[in-house]
Amino acid sequence: MKMKRVLVTGAGGFVGARIMALLKGRLELAAVPAGVLRSAGPAETERLVKAAAPDVILHTAAISDTGYCEQHPDQSRRANVELPVWLARAARRAGAKLVAFSSDQVYTGLEGSRPFDETAPLRPANVYGRHKREAEERVLEELDSAVLLRATWMYDLPGGGLPIRPNLPLNLLAAAKEGRTLTFSRKDLRGVTWVRQAVENLLPALDWTGGVYNFGCESDGDMYATALRFCELLGLDPPPVEAADWARCLWMDGGKARRLGADFGGTAEGFARCLAARKE
């Protein structure tokens, strides 16, 4: 079977670098040169895709800092809405598939304490979530075969020379080392995912039909309980966490992706797998 030729955006970033490292040999990977898409417009984006002649465009580049997006909505719109739309248009004209990361932030603003599936009516409560939702809609209007992956908050531990960024276990380790306490809510429900699980599950996702998919570990407790469990697995005693009671639900139902071959499981299970892999 011919190996898929995949053009990766954001190939030097947190997710993209792991795609390049972990899927090498299973896909024919080509990276968009660093910085090119920051200044490219729709015509330049189309020329880049045409020259690469990919079977699939795997779009990981984004501005994902929710606070930064609130303060810089124009930058967020360009990166998180316009660029995915340009890539969808370029993919359609090149006869390529587009697989792009969206976010669980599209579920902000919904009430309840239950897992949301992909049909939930959305009204995102922050700029980043609104832009990701708009991107989903406009990309699918441009290219109905596009796959949009609603990803959770992701983490990894340092190693392998791969880029790292602040995440749940690293935040907990830093707080314990510095004698600080982090606050998590008993009413904040969401999954958190080891980034390497997300990368591995991209392989089946490349063949999914167009649409949106919840993509990541499901919540198996509120974020205060999750933080305590991570502390236990990290051996942090006493745990550097305290409880709050503000409400949010980003808990995603992963059944649709699971039925199509994605293997995530629960949040704590994923972190146990991450730690076990570090010991191998």
Side-chain angles (χ1 to χ4, degrees), residues 150-209:
R150 291 175 176 169
T152 70
W153 188 17
M154 290 188 275
Y155 63 86
D156 202 359
L157 298 173
L162 295 168
I164 199 71
R165 67 185 184 193
N167 58 62
L168 180 56
L170 293 187
N171 292 349
L172 293 168
L173 288 166
K177 182 179 180 179
E178 297 164 11
R180 295 184 290 109
T181 300
L182 302 179
T183 302
F184 298 90
S185 176
R186 293 190 178 98
K187 297 180 181 178
D188 183 16
L189 303 172
R190 70 184 305 191
V192 187
T193 304
W194 184 25
V195 64
R196 296 177 188 233
Q197 287 180 274
V199 170
E200 290 290 339
N201 280 305
L202 285 171
L203 290 171
L206 296 180
D207 294 317
W208 292 349
T209 57

Side-chain angles (χ1 to χ4, degrees), residues 30 35 91 124 127 136 148 154 162 185 196 198 210 223-224 228 263 266 270:
V127 167
E136 291 177 353
L148 289 306
M154 290 188 275
L162 295 168
S185 176
R196 296 177 188 233
M223 282 302 297
Y224 178 67
L228 287 176
D263 175 22

Side-chain angles (χ1 to χ4, degrees), residues 82-95:
E82 300 302 336
L83 180 56
V85 172
W86 299 339
L87 286 167
R89 186 175 304 139
R92 176 171 54 79
R93 292 174 177 171

Side-chain angles (χ1 to χ4, degrees), residues 11-192:
F14 182 68
V15 177
R18 286 160 176 79
I19 290 170
M20 301 302 291
L22 299 174
L23 300 185
K24 182 180 179 180
R26 290 188 275 181
L27 300 169
E28 183 184 344
L29 297 168
V32 175
V36 167
L37 293 178
R38 290 196 190 99
S39 58
E44 292 88 350
T45 301
E46 185 167 345
R47 284 196 293 270
L48 184 152
V49 170
K50 184 177 180 180
D55 301 307
V56 181
I57 302 168
L58 188 46
H59 181 46
T60 75
I63 297 176
S64 57
D65 184 317
T66 56
Y68 187 91
C69 290
E70 290 292 327
Q71 296 172 5
H72 304 89
D74 291 343
Q75 292 181 39
S76 175
R77 170 168 290 282
R78 185 196 179 281
N80 296 325
V81 181
E82 300 302 336
L83 180 56
V85 172
W86 299 339
L87 286 167
R89 186 175 304 139
R92 176 171 54 79
R93 292 174 177 171
K97 190 178 185 75
L98 174 65
V99 178
F101 277 85
S102 185
S103 170
D104 62 359
Q105 292 290 324
V106 300
Y107 294 108
T108 57
L110 295 186
E111 296 179 355
S113 56
R114 65 192 187 282
F116 298 118
D117 68 17
E118 292 84 351
T119 65
L122 302 177
R123 50 177 185 276
N126 58 42
V127 167
Y128 180 64
R130 288 194 292 273
H131 284 169
K132 283 295 188 180
R133 179 53 179 156
E134 182 181 349
E136 291 177 353
E137 294 173 333
R138 291 181 57 189
V139 163
L140 287 169
E141 288 173 359
E142 191 71 52
L143 182 69
D144 61 9
S145 65
V147 170
L148 289 306
L149 304 173
R150 291 175 176 169
T152 70
W153 188 17
M154 290 188 275
Y155 63 86
D156 202 359
L157 298 173
L162 295 168
I164 199 71
R165 67 185 184 193
N167 58 62
L168 180 56
L170 293 187
N171 292 349
L172 293 168
L173 288 166
K177 182 179 180 179
E178 297 164 11
R180 295 184 290 109
T181 300
L182 302 179
T183 302
F184 298 90
S185 176
R186 293 190 178 98
K187 297 180 181 178
D188 183 16
L189 303 172
R190 70 184 305 191
V192 187

